[in-house]
Amino acid sequence: MVAETTSSETGWSERLTTVRARDLMVGAAAFLALLGLFISLDFVELLFEASREHEEWELDEILASVPALILVMAWYAFRRWREARQLNIELEKARHGLEAAHEQRLAAETQLRDAQRLEALGRLAGGLAHELNNMLQPAITLSELTLKKDTLAPDVRANLERILAASEHGRDIVGKALAFAGGTGLHNEEIEFAACLKEAVELARTVLPPTVRLQLEIAAHGETAMINRTELSQVITNLMTNAVGAMDNEGVLTISLNVDDISAQEQTVHRLPAGRYFKLLVMDTGRGMSEDVRRRLFDPFFTTAQSGEHVGLGLSIVHGIINAWRGAISVASSSAEGTCLKILIPVAGGVKQ
Amino acid sequence: MARILLVEDNETVRFALTMLLRESGHSVTEAPDGNAAIAAMSEAQPDVVVTDVFMPALDGIELICVLRESHPELKIVAMSGGGSFLNSAAAVGLAEKLGADVVMQKPVDNDTLLARIEELIREAA
Ligand SMILES: Nc1ncnc2c1ncn2[C@@H]1O[C@H](COP(=O)(O)OP(=O)(O)OP(=O)(O)O)[C@@H](O)[C@H]1O
Ligand SMILES: [Mg+2]
């Protein structure tokens, strides 16, 4: 559908160019033919003689009117040409507008589909977490209780310790899946965002190897958001860890913050109500990601990491937390030069919910 | 040591938590859902109610509402396993708003649960 419209539109403008070229050629040929004809007939001589023979025809006046007519027609043609050019410009503008609107709609549709898929995954994760947490409760409570007894045979104790460790590992993973499903359940409070962001970055500095340079461009001092410090810390740590991973431990990591009203396009694409938002950008100079990775980035348990220590929950948790803050996260750009993640967070009282 | 009413629909969870609470010297009455809990209130005379948030008949949220009306002084601990219907953040927020004194995420840690109950008993005394 889209391809068809574009191809027929190119055909149309190409056709116009061909028609113009043909007209010019026909015009030039006709001019040469007429010139040849007039010269071979000795036209001016004929005209002169005719005018002398038929004084009564008023040929002088008729001849004088010819250049006047030519000038007027040239002026008229020039006006029409300008008009056509203006129309063309407007047509082009309208076409661009249509294309932009179309692209915006496509982007919004993709975003909506992704959001719905993540919502479904969130419900699934939440439901699973509920059941699993119930099952983990007796496993943890009873092994801890039993381990307190000093009558246990050493091999029983060792096995029980293994059961407890495995259950606690399970609890941690379920906790992360739950964070994806609906935030961490921690309380939001009104806090000064820029200051808290700086704190969170300081706390997360430990994930940076000395070969990664950190660049902070933080504005928007004094403005507040309804969020939770611990969650912000988790978001920043996860994003910084990912950036370091994508840069193979070497490069520049830039974190920038400012605050502004979001555009109409941002409203549609991120499904956010109009208003004032913090815009947090996390940019790295890493390897970027493929379109496929980009589409599944926030899916729980999606990872491209080979080592077992990455389960692929980092960005799912970030997504869950930012949703719970009524904000949005997206990939602003990603190429071989690096990746930029964009996060929008409502300014406290700046957005009508 | 305190009298505790434990409201929990999952039998194994109930068994484990009862054992934990009894071994640390509390006396425990068990109820499998909110209705049973309300029925047990007068006989159990609990100092603290420890309740699950999601249960089949009269869930934790409703139970907290009812108990807050009838026993304003009662100490309540709500435990949530995460959301099958409500998301967990919303449920926890709701439990707090409705007046649970402590809200904990399951699986609750043994020592933390016991410590919280101690605090509540001290507050009440
Ligand atoms: N800044 C980035 N640049 C390039 N790719 C990225 C970036 N951040 C994330 N990714 C890709 O997205 C995937 C998912 O990221 P996510 O943080 O959810 O999981 P993970 O880092 O693989 O595991 P975990 O966070 O659980 O340790 C990563 O495996 C990686 O391929
Ligand atoms: Mg990660």
Side-chain angles (χ1 to χ4, degrees):
Chain A
M1 176 68 207
V2 189
E4 245 171 62
T5 334
T6 337
S7 84
S8 83
E9 264 165 20
T10 359
W12 166 81
S13 84
E14 254 169 27
R15 241 180 6 245
L16 212 75
T17 326
T18 341
V19 167
R20 273 188 208 137
R22 206 177 52 210
D23 283 358
L24 271 180
M25 269 174 354
V26 169
F31 174 76
L32 287 176
L34 284 174
L35 191 64
L37 185 70
F38 288 167
I39 290 174
S40 69
L41 289 177
D42 214 351
F43 183 66
V44 178
E45 194 64 28
L46 283 178
L47 216 58
F48 179 73
E49 274 165 21
S51 73
R52 292 308 103 192
E53 271 170 40
H54 307 282
E55 296 271 356
E56 75 286 2
W57 283 6
E58 309 280 4
L59 268 180
D60 286 3
E61 284 74 9
I62 294 176
L63 273 181
S65 75
V66 169
L69 198 66
I70 289 176
L71 281 179
V72 170
M73 279 183 58
W75 169 80
Y76 184 77
F78 174 71
R79 297 287 303 176
R80 293 292 74 75
W81 170 77
R82 286 232 334 221
E83 190 179 86
R85 203 183 53 167
Q86 193 56 40
L87 275 177
N88 248 344
I89 291 172
E90 267 158 35
L91 204 68
E92 204 53 23
K93 256 195 226 152
R95 204 172 62 113
H96 276 293
L98 266 179
E99 264 170 20
H102 184 71
E103 259 162 39
Q104 199 175 325
R105 210 191 66 207
L106 279 185
E109 275 172 9
T110 316
Q111 192 88 5
L112 181 65
R113 250 199 323 276
D114 289 350
Q116 281 168 342
R117 199 186 66 239
L118 284 175
E119 252 169 56
L121 285 172
R123 275 197 301 278
L124 179 70
L128 260 171
H130 176 67
E131 296 305 320
L132 286 174
N133 278 339
N134 259 334
M135 289 167 197
L136 288 169
Q137 182 74 69
I140 292 177
T141 305
L142 292 177
S143 24
E144 273 184 0
L145 267 183
T146 315
L147 278 169
K148 287 220 172 86
K149 296 195 164 51
D150 31 45
T151 51
L152 287 184
D155 57 332
V156 176
R157 172 173 297 277
N159 282 345
L160 213 51
E161 270 162 2
R162 286 188 192 106
I163 294 176
L164 182 59
S167 310
E168 281 172 345
H169 188 210
R171 174 195 62 196
D172 293 345
I173 290 189
V174 170
K176 287 180 180 177
L178 209 53
F180 161 68
T184 54
L186 292 171
H187 256 318
N188 288 341
E189 49 188 345
E190 187 167 347
I191 58 177
E192 203 212 316
F193 192 76
C196 271
L197 175 63
K198 279 190 193 155
E199 268 170 37
V201 172
E202 282 318 311
L203 282 176
R205 234 179 231 279
T206 45
V207 308
L208 294 182
T211 40
V212 167
R213 196 157 63 81
L214 178 66
Q215 205 168 304
L216 291 181
E217 296 163 5
I218 295 181
H221 288 279
E223 304 218 41
T224 59
M226 286 296 293
I227 62 168
N228 178 282
R229 280 166 208 273
T230 314
E231 289 181 341
L232 179 62
S233 214
Q234 209 171 350
V235 165
I236 296 301
T237 308
N238 284 343
L239 294 179
M240 281 171 63
T241 311
N242 283 353
V244 169
M247 292 191 286
D248 277 331
N249 296 324
E250 204 171 342
V252 184
L253 170 63
T254 311
I255 297 179
S256 84
L257 177 75
N258 54 47
V259 68
D260 203 355
D261 286 348
I262 56 168
S263 67
Q265 180 174 2
E266 283 171 316
Q267 286 173 43
T268 356
V269 170
H270 301 298
R271 297 196 300 156
L272 289 175
R276 212 166 149 70
Y277 286 78
F278 288 103
K279 183 158 103 187
L280 173 64
L281 298 177
V282 179
M283 289 167 274
D284 62 56
T285 53
R287 68 178 84 91
M289 64 187 88
S290 68
E291 190 50 39
D292 187 47
V293 171
R294 186 175 174 152
R295 297 228 26 244
R296 302 170 58 195
L297 203 60
F298 302 110
D299 288 5
F301 301 109
F302 173 75
T303 179
T304 57
Q306 304 295 325
S307 77
E309 66 191 284
H310 292 283
V311 280
L313 280 171
L315 284 178
S316 312
I317 294 170
V318 169
H319 187 272
I321 290 176
I322 292 187
N323 264 8
W325 294 344
R326 297 173 185 280
I329 177 167
S330 62
V331 183
S333 68
S334 186
S335 68
E337 271 78 64
T339 298
C340 175
L341 284 172
K342 178 172 111 179
I343 296 172
L344 296 170
I345 297 158
V347 171
V351 177
K352 286 209 188 80
Q353 295 291 352
Chain B
M1 293 297 105
R3 286 180 305 256
I4 295 174
L5 175 59
L6 175 66
V7 196
E8 164 66 61
D9 59 319
N10 185 301
E11 207 183 316
T12 322
V13 176
R14 209 167 60 229
F15 173 82
L17 292 178
T18 304
M19 191 154 174
L20 170 70
L21 295 171
R22 287 212 174 116
E23 290 209 355
S24 42
H26 301 292
S27 73
V28 182
T29 309
E30 299 174 45
D33 59 51
N35 288 332
I38 289 169
M41 274 302 286
S42 59
E43 197 172 320
Q45 290 292 324
D47 307 304
V48 181
V49 172
V50 177
T51 177
D52 190 12
V53 173
F54 299 102
M55 285 175 303
L58 192 70
D59 78 6
I61 302 286
E62 292 168 284
L63 177 65
I64 294 170
C65 282
V66 175
L67 289 181
R68 267 287 157 264
E69 283 270 298
S70 54
H71 302 74
E73 297 296 306
L74 188 67
K75 298 294 178 191
I76 301 177
V77 178
M79 305 174 297
S80 143
S84 25
F85 307 106
L86 269 170
N87 81 39
S88 69
V92 169
L94 201 56
E96 244 164 38
K97 251 192 219 117
L98 293 175
D101 297 283
V102 174
V103 179
M104 296 178 78
Q105 173 76 57
K106 271 190 191 169
V108 299
D109 179 62
N110 289 5
D111 294 338
T112 320
L113 177 63
L114 293 175
R116 285 292 140 77
I117 290 176
E118 291 298 332
E119 279 167 27
L120 290 179
I121 297 167
R122 241 178 291 131
E123 264 177 42

